Amino acid sequence: MLKSETKLILEVCDLHANVEDQPILNGVNLQVYAGEIHAIMGRNGSGKSTLSKVIAGHPAYKITGGTIKFEDNNLLDLDPEERARLGVFLGFQYPIEIPGVSNLEFLRVSTNARREYEKKEELDTFEFEDFVQEKLKIVKMDPAFLNRSVNEGFSGGEKKRNEILQMALLEPKLAILDETDSGLDIDALRVVAAGVNKLATPNTATILITHYQRLLNEITPNYVHVMANGKILKTAGKELALQLEKSGYDWIEQISSNKEENQ
Amino acid sequence: MKTECLEWLEQLPSPDGVLASEQLIGRESLRNLGLPKKYSEAWRLTNLKRIEKILKLPLAQSNQYENSIDKNQWPEIPKDGVRIILNNETNYKTNLPNGIRFLSNDDIKETINLSHQSIDETNDWGVSVNKACNNKLLALKVDGLEEQSLEILIPSQKETLNPSRILLVLGKKAKLKLLQVIIGEGKSSNNNLIQIHLDEGSELNHGLICFGKNDSSLFTQACIKQNIDSKYELNAIQHGWSISRFEPRVFQQNGKAKTKLNGLQISSEKQQLATHSLVNFNGPEGELEQLQKSIAADQSHCIFNGAVKVPKEAQKTNASQLSRNLLISKAARIDTKPELEIVADDVKCAHGATISQLQEEELFYLRSRGIDSNQAATLLLKGYCQEIINNLPVAAERWQILNQIIENLNK
């Protein structure tokens, strides 16, 4: 791939982060260019979800070293809402239920916050309803869910569809999907994957965090990274995911610890 | 303390009108009670200094009404709606819809007696003050099978004590949507007593909006007597009072009735808002569903005491009480206490209480979608209130209470 011609969207350099004084990220390096799809795999507790939350700006994590650049912006200087308005989107592993807050109202307020930054016209209630109807088709979601409280009483699959709906409305430049496939049956997985594929463009980038090869059958990544102990241990093409499916993570961690010993 | 009460009683006008005998009862009780005392369990959290101020206020006069009430904030009455304003007149002349009528004086004498087992009149300060000084009564009867709706507006005159009393009787299978709005004004005090009798199979959806401002205080008691197969739903909102105390007391006289009590109190600045509820099951198969919510901001204080009595005869009672509270400032305070007295052995009585702050995960979720932290907090607070506000009778929408609450919290 001729990287010099494509635009660098995200650049993570030697990122270290703690939660409650416990180091979770220990020097992550990652570059994501426009038009690319990256998959990050790894055992539970390897730091995948933390990386995604740190990029989105979760206040529970303390950055102890390194930088995150998003286009020309230093993300670590920005609040979560500012990052979102720039075009960073995090699809949550466990979308939060917010009783009493209407899903439609939530979607409208967030869409307008992003549109305002993009210097697009604000959508009033009626315009937004038309806009959202179009986007519902992408995730094949029942419009009845718009009138409920945010994620309240949604099944696992409905919550994930709602995440992809938000992605469709916000039109992010970088979408990080944290285990969007977990808890989905095969049909729902296909719908969600088709939505992600539809929303990926040559000007945007996607990072998929997943445990399973089956999502990568539906969405083909350019790169697969393996994380362990808060670092990216290995990066390769999509064939790495197949190899992991067959042989697990032991062999990679083995190679890596051998390397460290030799050094 | 007692002398202050006696001084106040002495300057009251002589007993008069349809409530004359009630005035005598109230005055006698107050002579014995004096002012509320810190050592009494029901008053130990109350800011008694603010209570003392109430008895220093002159009684509101009906001829001052037009000059001292701010009507600008009142929404228009819907075309087919009826609003009765308790304007300190002794006679209320309003065109009532078919199905609702004023009770005759004979009817009133028959039904006015409060004493049922939920209320110990001789030991009830708020009720006694109301009885002692109030000579105005709105007494209504609802009959027929058609659902009626009604708005009762209770304003306060500035710098006065405003007592009022409502007696509402629902006949067999009658249905009513009642919106009761109490408004406080500068340095005023409002004391409202509403007595409700629900006959067999009747249904009342009772919305109560109590909005105070500028150092105003509120005492409001709702005494509800339910016959079998009746349904009573209350959604009560208190906000903006320097001190307020709402006391809903439900008496299921023969059990087998349904009661739903929802309460929301939102306090800010140095306000103290309290709800002391009592539900007394006096027969089998009664049901109660109770949800009390509070939001305390700044240096304010919210209090909830939820008493439920299930005596021996109230077998198969099914009651649940949940108190959910939000502390949104480090200097704010919330006290919440369930008080369940269960003697019957074959009952379900659940209760629970939580106090928390705005959830960090909820805030982060909203912020990660581009919503700034203030707006996110506002959305969460609105959502929190909505659970109660959504259940108010439709007529309440015109009062736009949610906007007022959020505006005050954001000050």
Side-chain angles (χ1 to χ4, degrees), chain A residues 58 80-81 84-85 89-90 92 98 100-101 106 109-110 113 151 163 166, chain B residues 360-362 364-373 375 379-380 383 386:
Chain A
H58 195 295
E81 56 268 36
R85 288 176 205 159
F89 177 85
L90 172 62
F92 280 54
I98 311 182
V101 175
F106 158 64
V109 173
S110 54
N151 293 323
E163 292 294 289
Q166 290 164 44
Chain B
E360 190 179 57
E361 289 301 321
E362 293 181 0
F364 175 63
Y365 189 62
L366 297 176
R367 294 176 74 191
S368 79
R369 300 304 184 243
I371 300 169
D372 71 46
S373 50
Q375 209 179 358
L379 266 180
L380 292 180
Q386 210 99 44

mmCIF file of all heavy atoms in Angstrom, chain A residues 58 80-81 84-85 89-90 92 98 100-101 106 109-110 113 151 163 166, chain B residues 360-362 364-373 375 379-380 383 386:
data_model
loop_
_atom_site.group_PDB
_atom_site.id
_atom_site.type_symbol
_atom_site.label_atom_id
_atom_site.label_comp_id
_atom_site.label_asym_id
_atom_site.label_seq_id
_atom_site.Cartn_x
_atom_site.Cartn_y
_atom_site.Cartn_z
ATOM 1 N N HIS A 58 -12.129 8.394 28.063
ATOM 2 C CA HIS A 58 -12.787 8.014 29.317
ATOM 3 C C HIS A 58 -12.014 8.586 30.511
ATOM 4 O O HIS A 58 -10.816 8.388 30.638
ATOM 5 C CB HIS A 58 -12.884 6.496 29.438
ATOM 6 C CG HIS A 58 -13.843 6.054 30.487
ATOM 7 N ND1 HIS A 58 -13.646 6.304 31.829
ATOM 8 C CD2 HIS A 58 -15.035 5.401 30.411
ATOM 9 C CE1 HIS A 58 -14.662 5.810 32.522
ATOM 10 N NE2 HIS A 58 -15.522 5.268 31.686
ATOM 11 N N PRO A 80 -13.814 14.332 25.992
ATOM 12 C CA PRO A 80 -14.443 13.290 25.168
ATOM 13 C C PRO A 80 -15.397 13.862 24.116
ATOM 14 O O PRO A 80 -15.431 13.398 22.969
ATOM 15 C CB PRO A 80 -15.230 12.450 26.176
ATOM 16 C CG PRO A 80 -14.713 12.793 27.506
ATOM 17 C CD PRO A 80 -13.980 14.087 27.424
ATOM 18 N N GLU A 81 -16.179 14.908 24.520
ATOM 19 C CA GLU A 81 -17.156 15.459 23.572
ATOM 20 C C GLU A 81 -16.464 16.156 22.401
ATOM 21 O O GLU A 81 -16.952 16.123 21.273
ATOM 22 C CB GLU A 81 -18.149 16.395 24.264
ATOM 23 C CG GLU A 81 -17.568 17.564 25.039
ATOM 24 C CD GLU A 81 -17.332 17.240 26.512
ATOM 25 O OE1 GLU A 81 -16.948 16.084 26.815
ATOM 26 O OE2 GLU A 81 -17.526 18.136 27.353
ATOM 27 N N ALA A 84 -15.330 13.496 20.023
ATOM 28 C CA ALA A 84 -16.464 12.965 19.253
ATOM 29 C C ALA A 84 -16.833 13.921 18.126
ATOM 30 O O ALA A 84 -17.132 13.490 17.010
ATOM 31 C CB ALA A 84 -17.654 12.743 20.177
ATOM 32 N N ARG A 85 -16.804 15.217 18.428
ATOM 33 C CA ARG A 85 -17.183 16.199 17.397
ATOM 34 C C ARG A 85 -16.180 16.227 16.263
ATOM 35 O O ARG A 85 -16.529 16.477 15.112
ATOM 36 C CB ARG A 85 -17.320 17.590 18.012
ATOM 37 C CG ARG A 85 -18.563 17.701 18.868
ATOM 38 C CD ARG A 85 -18.619 19.040 19.541
ATOM 39 N NE ARG A 85 -19.407 18.954 20.755
ATOM 40 C CZ ARG A 85 -19.331 19.810 21.752
ATOM 41 N NH1 ARG A 85 -18.492 20.831 21.692
ATOM 42 N NH2 ARG A 85 -20.088 19.659 22.802
ATOM 43 N N PHE A 89 -15.346 7.984 17.028
ATOM 44 C CA PHE A 89 -16.548 7.297 17.512
ATOM 45 C C PHE A 89 -16.152 5.993 18.183
ATOM 46 O O PHE A 89 -15.388 5.210 17.643
ATOM 47 C CB PHE A 89 -17.492 6.993 16.346
ATOM 48 C CG PHE A 89 -18.718 6.225 16.762
ATOM 49 C CD1 PHE A 89 -19.834 6.885 17.246
ATOM 50 C CD2 PHE A 89 -18.752 4.838 16.677
ATOM 51 C CE1 PHE A 89 -20.952 6.177 17.659
ATOM 52 C CE2 PHE A 89 -19.874 4.125 17.078
ATOM 53 C CZ PHE A 89 -20.977 4.803 17.568
ATOM 54 N N LEU A 90 -16.704 5.782 19.390
ATOM 55 C CA LEU A 90 -16.488 4.503 20.075
ATOM 56 C C LEU A 90 -17.805 3.754 20.165
ATOM 57 O O LEU A 90 -18.766 4.241 20.771
ATOM 58 C CB LEU A 90 -15.926 4.751 21.488
ATOM 59 C CG LEU A 90 -15.832 3.527 22.396
ATOM 60 C CD1 LEU A 90 -14.885 2.477 21.822
ATOM 61 C CD2 LEU A 90 -15.378 3.917 23.803
ATOM 62 N N PHE A 92 -19.664 1.025 21.958
ATOM 63 C CA PHE A 92 -19.413 0.427 23.270
ATOM 64 C C PHE A 92 -19.627 -1.084 23.280
ATOM 65 O O PHE A 92 -20.546 -1.595 22.654
ATOM 66 C CB PHE A 92 -20.349 1.061 24.315
ATOM 67 C CG PHE A 92 -19.892 2.397 24.828
ATOM 68 C CD1 PHE A 92 -19.608 3.430 23.949
ATOM 69 C CD2 PHE A 92 -19.750 2.629 26.185
ATOM 70 C CE1 PHE A 92 -19.187 4.670 24.415
ATOM 71 C CE2 PHE A 92 -19.342 3.859 26.667
ATOM 72 C CZ PHE A 92 -19.051 4.877 25.782
ATOM 73 N N ILE A 98 -29.949 4.356 29.735
ATOM 74 C CA ILE A 98 -30.228 5.621 30.422
ATOM 75 C C ILE A 98 -31.737 5.810 30.543
ATOM 76 O O ILE A 98 -32.385 6.328 29.634
ATOM 77 C CB ILE A 98 -29.576 6.812 29.687
ATOM 78 C CG1 ILE A 98 -28.102 6.493 29.398
ATOM 79 C CG2 ILE A 98 -29.716 8.078 30.515
ATOM 80 C CD1 ILE A 98 -27.351 7.608 28.724
ATOM 81 N N GLY A 100 -35.393 7.125 31.117
ATOM 82 C CA GLY A 100 -35.998 8.458 31.099
ATOM 83 C C GLY A 100 -35.508 9.354 29.971
ATOM 84 O O GLY A 100 -36.150 10.338 29.645
ATOM 85 N N VAL A 101 -34.333 9.032 29.382
ATOM 86 C CA VAL A 101 -33.837 9.867 28.287
ATOM 87 C C VAL A 101 -34.255 9.217 26.962
ATOM 88 O O VAL A 101 -33.887 8.086 26.689
ATOM 89 C CB VAL A 101 -32.296 10.008 28.331
ATOM 90 C CG1 VAL A 101 -31.785 10.778 27.127
ATOM 91 C CG2 VAL A 101 -31.873 10.686 29.616
ATOM 92 N N PHE A 106 -31.816 11.831 22.334
ATOM 93 C CA PHE A 106 -30.377 11.609 22.494
ATOM 94 C C PHE A 106 -29.680 11.595 21.126
ATOM 95 O O PHE A 106 -28.652 12.254 20.923
ATOM 96 C CB PHE A 106 -30.170 10.283 23.245
ATOM 97 C CG PHE A 106 -28.823 9.632 23.059
ATOM 98 C CD1 PHE A 106 -27.668 10.258 23.512
ATOM 99 C CD2 PHE A 106 -28.712 8.396 22.447
ATOM 100 C CE1 PHE A 106 -26.419 9.662 23.351
ATOM 101 C CE2 PHE A 106 -27.476 7.790 22.273
ATOM 102 C CZ PHE A 106 -26.323 8.425 22.728
ATOM 103 N N VAL A 109 -29.669 15.209 19.619
ATOM 104 C CA VAL A 109 -28.729 16.134 20.254
ATOM 105 C C VAL A 109 -27.293 15.785 19.845
ATOM 106 O O VAL A 109 -26.499 16.667 19.508
ATOM 107 C CB VAL A 109 -28.891 16.103 21.803
ATOM 108 C CG1 VAL A 109 -27.809 16.934 22.470
ATOM 109 C CG2 VAL A 109 -30.263 16.634 22.193
ATOM 110 N N SER A 110 -26.971 14.496 19.833
ATOM 111 C CA SER A 110 -25.588 14.125 19.495
ATOM 112 C C SER A 110 -25.306 14.379 18.011
ATOM 113 O O SER A 110 -24.236 14.886 17.656
ATOM 114 C CB SER A 110 -25.297 12.678 19.894
ATOM 115 O OG SER A 110 -26.235 11.819 19.343
ATOM 116 N N ALA A 113 -24.678 18.013 17.558
ATOM 117 C CA ALA A 113 -23.393 18.450 18.116
ATOM 118 C C ALA A 113 -22.283 18.216 17.080
ATOM 119 O O ALA A 113 -21.413 19.063 16.857
ATOM 120 C CB ALA A 113 -23.092 17.706 19.408
ATOM 121 N N ASN A 151 -31.342 2.651 25.146
ATOM 122 C CA ASN A 151 -30.907 1.266 25.413
ATOM 123 C C ASN A 151 -31.687 0.534 26.496
ATOM 124 O O ASN A 151 -31.393 -0.611 26.796
ATOM 125 C CB ASN A 151 -29.409 1.213 25.774
ATOM 126 C CG ASN A 151 -28.529 1.601 24.604
ATOM 127 O OD1 ASN A 151 -28.837 1.267 23.462
ATOM 128 N ND2 ASN A 151 -27.461 2.326 24.861
ATOM 129 N N GLU A 163 -25.920 1.123 18.483
ATOM 130 C CA GLU A 163 -24.567 1.693 18.399
ATOM 131 C C GLU A 163 -24.214 2.010 16.942
ATOM 132 O O GLU A 163 -23.693 3.078 16.635
ATOM 133 C CB GLU A 163 -23.520 0.718 18.960
ATOM 134 C CG GLU A 163 -23.600 0.491 20.456
ATOM 135 C CD GLU A 163 -23.263 1.731 21.272
ATOM 136 O OE1 GLU A 163 -22.088 2.141 21.315
ATOM 137 O OE2 GLU A 163 -24.193 2.306 21.836
ATOM 138 N N GLN A 166 -25.992 4.990 15.693
ATOM 139 C CA GLN A 166 -25.333 6.236 16.113
ATOM 140 C C GLN A 166 -24.137 6.532 15.213
ATOM 141 O O GLN A 166 -23.894 7.678 14.830
ATOM 142 C CB GLN A 166 -24.871 6.122 17.562
ATOM 143 C CG GLN A 166 -26.021 6.120 18.550
ATOM 144 C CD GLN A 166 -25.613 5.635 19.929
ATOM 145 O OE1 GLN A 166 -24.579 6.019 20.437
ATOM 146 N NE2 GLN A 166 -26.420 4.776 20.511
ATOM 147 N N GLU B 360 -21.000 8.136 36.295
ATOM 148 C CA GLU B 360 -19.892 8.514 35.420
ATOM 149 C C GLU B 360 -19.999 7.825 34.058
ATOM 150 O O GLU B 360 -19.747 8.433 33.022
ATOM 151 C CB GLU B 360 -18.560 8.153 36.086
ATOM 152 C CG GLU B 360 -17.375 8.729 35.333
ATOM 153 C CD GLU B 360 -16.039 8.386 35.996
ATOM 154 O OE1 GLU B 360 -15.749 7.194 36.182
ATOM 155 O OE2 GLU B 360 -15.305 9.315 36.308
ATOM 156 N N GLU B 361 -20.436 6.552 34.080
ATOM 157 C CA GLU B 361 -20.526 5.815 32.805
ATOM 158 C C GLU B 361 -21.605 6.409 31.896
ATOM 159 O O GLU B 361 -21.451 6.469 30.685
ATOM 160 C CB GLU B 361 -20.802 4.329 33.050
ATOM 161 C CG GLU B 361 -19.628 3.562 33.644
ATOM 162 C CD GLU B 361 -18.359 3.606 32.783
ATOM 163 O OE1 GLU B 361 -18.466 3.539 31.547
ATOM 164 O OE2 GLU B 361 -17.254 3.729 33.367
ATOM 165 N N GLU B 362 -22.726 6.834 32.502
ATOM 166 C CA GLU B 362 -23.798 7.456 31.707
ATOM 167 C C GLU B 362 -23.314 8.773 31.109
ATOM 168 O O GLU B 362 -23.552 9.063 29.935
ATOM 169 C CB GLU B 362 -25.042 7.688 32.567
ATOM 170 C CG GLU B 362 -25.718 6.407 33.005
ATOM 171 C CD GLU B 362 -26.970 6.633 33.834
ATOM 172 O OE1 GLU B 362 -27.343 7.792 34.084
ATOM 173 O OE2 GLU B 362 -27.589 5.629 34.240
ATOM 174 N N PHE B 364 -20.212 9.646 30.509
ATOM 175 C CA PHE B 364 -19.198 9.400 29.478
ATOM 176 C C PHE B 364 -19.854 8.949 28.173
ATOM 177 O O PHE B 364 -19.456 9.367 27.088
ATOM 178 C CB PHE B 364 -18.172 8.364 29.949
ATOM 179 C CG PHE B 364 -17.185 7.993 28.874
ATOM 180 C CD1 PHE B 364 -16.317 8.948 28.345
ATOM 181 C CD2 PHE B 364 -17.133 6.709 28.359
ATOM 182 C CE1 PHE B 364 -15.427 8.633 27.336
ATOM 183 C CE2 PHE B 364 -16.237 6.382 27.341
ATOM 184 C CZ PHE B 364 -15.389 7.344 26.833
ATOM 185 N N TYR B 365 -20.875 8.108 28.300
ATOM 186 C CA TYR B 365 -21.565 7.626 27.094
ATOM 187 C C TYR B 365 -22.115 8.806 26.283
ATOM 188 O O TYR B 365 -21.925 8.901 25.074
ATOM 189 C CB TYR B 365 -22.699 6.690 27.508
ATOM 190 C CG TYR B 365 -23.361 5.955 26.358
ATOM 191 C CD1 TYR B 365 -22.639 5.071 25.568
ATOM 192 C CD2 TYR B 365 -24.709 6.129 26.076
ATOM 193 C CE1 TYR B 365 -23.239 4.382 24.533
ATOM 194 C CE2 TYR B 365 -25.321 5.442 25.040
ATOM 195 C CZ TYR B 365 -24.574 4.569 24.275
ATOM 196 O OH TYR B 365 -25.172 3.889 23.242
ATOM 197 N N LEU B 366 -22.765 9.735 26.982
ATOM 198 C CA LEU B 366 -23.336 10.897 26.289
ATOM 199 C C LEU B 366 -22.227 11.794 25.725
ATOM 200 O O LEU B 366 -22.313 12.281 24.593
ATOM 201 C CB LEU B 366 -24.233 11.701 27.236
ATOM 202 C CG LEU B 366 -25.470 10.960 27.758
ATOM 203 C CD1 LEU B 366 -26.231 11.821 28.754
ATOM 204 C CD2 LEU B 366 -26.406 10.588 26.614
ATOM 205 N N ARG B 367 -21.170 11.993 26.531
ATOM 206 C CA ARG B 367 -20.085 12.870 26.063
ATOM 207 C C ARG B 367 -19.360 12.255 24.874
ATOM 208 O O ARG B 367 -18.945 12.966 23.959
ATOM 209 C CB ARG B 367 -19.098 13.141 27.201
ATOM 210 C CG ARG B 367 -19.710 13.946 28.326
ATOM 211 C CD ARG B 367 -18.748 14.116 29.478
ATOM 212 N NE ARG B 367 -17.699 15.078 29.147
ATOM 213 C CZ ARG B 367 -16.614 15.260 29.887
ATOM 214 N NH1 ARG B 367 -16.422 14.550 30.985
ATOM 215 N NH2 ARG B 367 -15.715 16.157 29.539
ATOM 216 N N SER B 368 -19.269 10.930 24.845
ATOM 217 C CA SER B 368 -18.580 10.277 23.731
ATOM 218 C C SER B 368 -19.370 10.405 22.434
ATOM 219 O O SER B 368 -18.919 9.992 21.374
ATOM 220 C CB SER B 368 -18.342 8.800 24.045
ATOM 221 O OG SER B 368 -19.538 8.068 23.837
ATOM 222 N N ARG B 369 -20.585 10.965 22.535
ATOM 223 C CA ARG B 369 -21.391 11.227 21.328
ATOM 224 C C ARG B 369 -21.414 12.713 20.988
ATOM 225 O O ARG B 369 -22.280 13.181 20.243
ATOM 226 C CB ARG B 369 -22.824 10.713 21.532
ATOM 227 C CG ARG B 369 -22.916 9.227 21.804
ATOM 228 C CD ARG B 369 -22.249 8.406 20.708
ATOM 229 N NE ARG B 369 -22.387 6.979 20.891
ATOM 230 C CZ ARG B 369 -21.373 6.134 21.082
ATOM 231 N NH1 ARG B 369 -20.131 6.587 21.135
ATOM 232 N NH2 ARG B 369 -21.580 4.852 21.207
ATOM 233 N N GLY B 370 -20.508 13.469 21.630
ATOM 234 C CA GLY B 370 -20.384 14.878 21.268
ATOM 235 C C GLY B 370 -21.210 15.830 22.117
ATOM 236 O O GLY B 370 -21.254 17.027 21.865
ATOM 237 N N ILE B 371 -21.895 15.280 23.142
ATOM 238 C CA ILE B 371 -22.751 16.119 23.988
ATOM 239 C C ILE B 371 -21.889 16.655 25.138
ATOM 240 O O ILE B 371 -21.243 15.870 25.842
ATOM 241 C CB ILE B 371 -23.932 15.285 24.524
ATOM 242 C CG1 ILE B 371 -24.742 14.751 23.336
ATOM 243 C CG2 ILE B 371 -24.795 16.091 25.463
ATOM 244 C CD1 ILE B 371 -25.780 13.716 23.702
ATOM 245 N N ASP B 372 -21.843 17.974 25.333
ATOM 246 C CA ASP B 372 -20.919 18.490 26.347
ATOM 247 C C ASP B 372 -21.408 18.152 27.754
ATOM 248 O O ASP B 372 -22.557 17.783 27.954
ATOM 249 C CB ASP B 372 -20.625 19.987 26.169
ATOM 250 C CG ASP B 372 -21.806 20.857 26.511
ATOM 251 O OD1 ASP B 372 -22.432 20.621 27.557
ATOM 252 O OD2 ASP B 372 -22.114 21.781 25.730
ATOM 253 N N SER B 373 -20.498 18.284 28.727
ATOM 254 C CA SER B 373 -20.801 17.712 30.045
ATOM 255 C C SER B 373 -22.014 18.371 30.698
ATOM 256 O O SER B 373 -22.795 17.687 31.355
ATOM 257 C CB SER B 373 -19.584 17.756 30.963
ATOM 258 O OG SER B 373 -19.041 19.043 30.962
ATOM 259 N N GLN B 375 -24.636 19.707 29.168
ATOM 260 C CA GLN B 375 -25.833 19.236 28.467
ATOM 261 C C GLN B 375 -26.123 17.767 28.823
ATOM 262 O O GLN B 375 -27.276 17.369 28.964
ATOM 263 C CB GLN B 375 -25.604 19.382 26.961
ATOM 264 C CG GLN B 375 -26.876 19.604 26.181
ATOM 265 C CD GLN B 375 -26.588 19.779 24.693
ATOM 266 O OE1 GLN B 375 -25.429 19.774 24.269
ATOM 267 N NE2 GLN B 375 -27.636 19.928 23.911
ATOM 268 N N LEU B 379 -29.478 16.335 30.458
ATOM 269 C CA LEU B 379 -30.260 15.231 29.876
ATOM 270 C C LEU B 379 -30.527 14.148 30.921
ATOM 271 O O LEU B 379 -31.636 13.626 31.023
ATOM 272 C CB LEU B 379 -29.489 14.599 28.713
ATOM 273 C CG LEU B 379 -29.752 15.081 27.301
ATOM 274 C CD1 LEU B 379 -28.867 14.313 26.320
ATOM 275 C CD2 LEU B 379 -31.214 14.909 26.898
ATOM 276 N N LEU B 380 -29.497 13.835 31.710
ATOM 277 C CA LEU B 380 -29.656 12.779 32.710
ATOM 278 C C LEU B 380 -30.646 13.212 33.801
ATOM 279 O O LEU B 380 -31.480 12.420 34.234
ATOM 280 C CB LEU B 380 -28.313 12.425 33.348
ATOM 281 C CG LEU B 380 -27.300 11.736 32.433
ATOM 282 C CD1 LEU B 380 -26.009 11.426 33.188
ATOM 283 C CD2 LEU B 380 -27.867 10.456 31.844
ATOM 284 N N GLY B 383 -34.122 13.072 32.405
ATOM 285 C CA GLY B 383 -34.542 11.677 32.328
ATOM 286 C C GLY B 383 -34.980 11.155 33.684
ATOM 287 O O GLY B 383 -35.965 10.443 33.816
ATOM 288 N N GLN B 386 -38.328 12.659 34.533
ATOM 289 C CA GLN B 386 -39.372 12.276 33.577
ATOM 290 C C GLN B 386 -40.182 11.060 34.044
ATOM 291 O O GLN B 386 -41.376 10.977 33.794
ATOM 292 C CB GLN B 386 -38.721 11.959 32.231
ATOM 293 C CG GLN B 386 -39.606 12.248 31.043
ATOM 294 C CD GLN B 386 -39.284 13.573 30.395
ATOM 295 O OE1 GLN B 386 -38.123 13.888 30.199
ATOM 296 N NE2 GLN B 386 -40.304 14.321 30.067
#
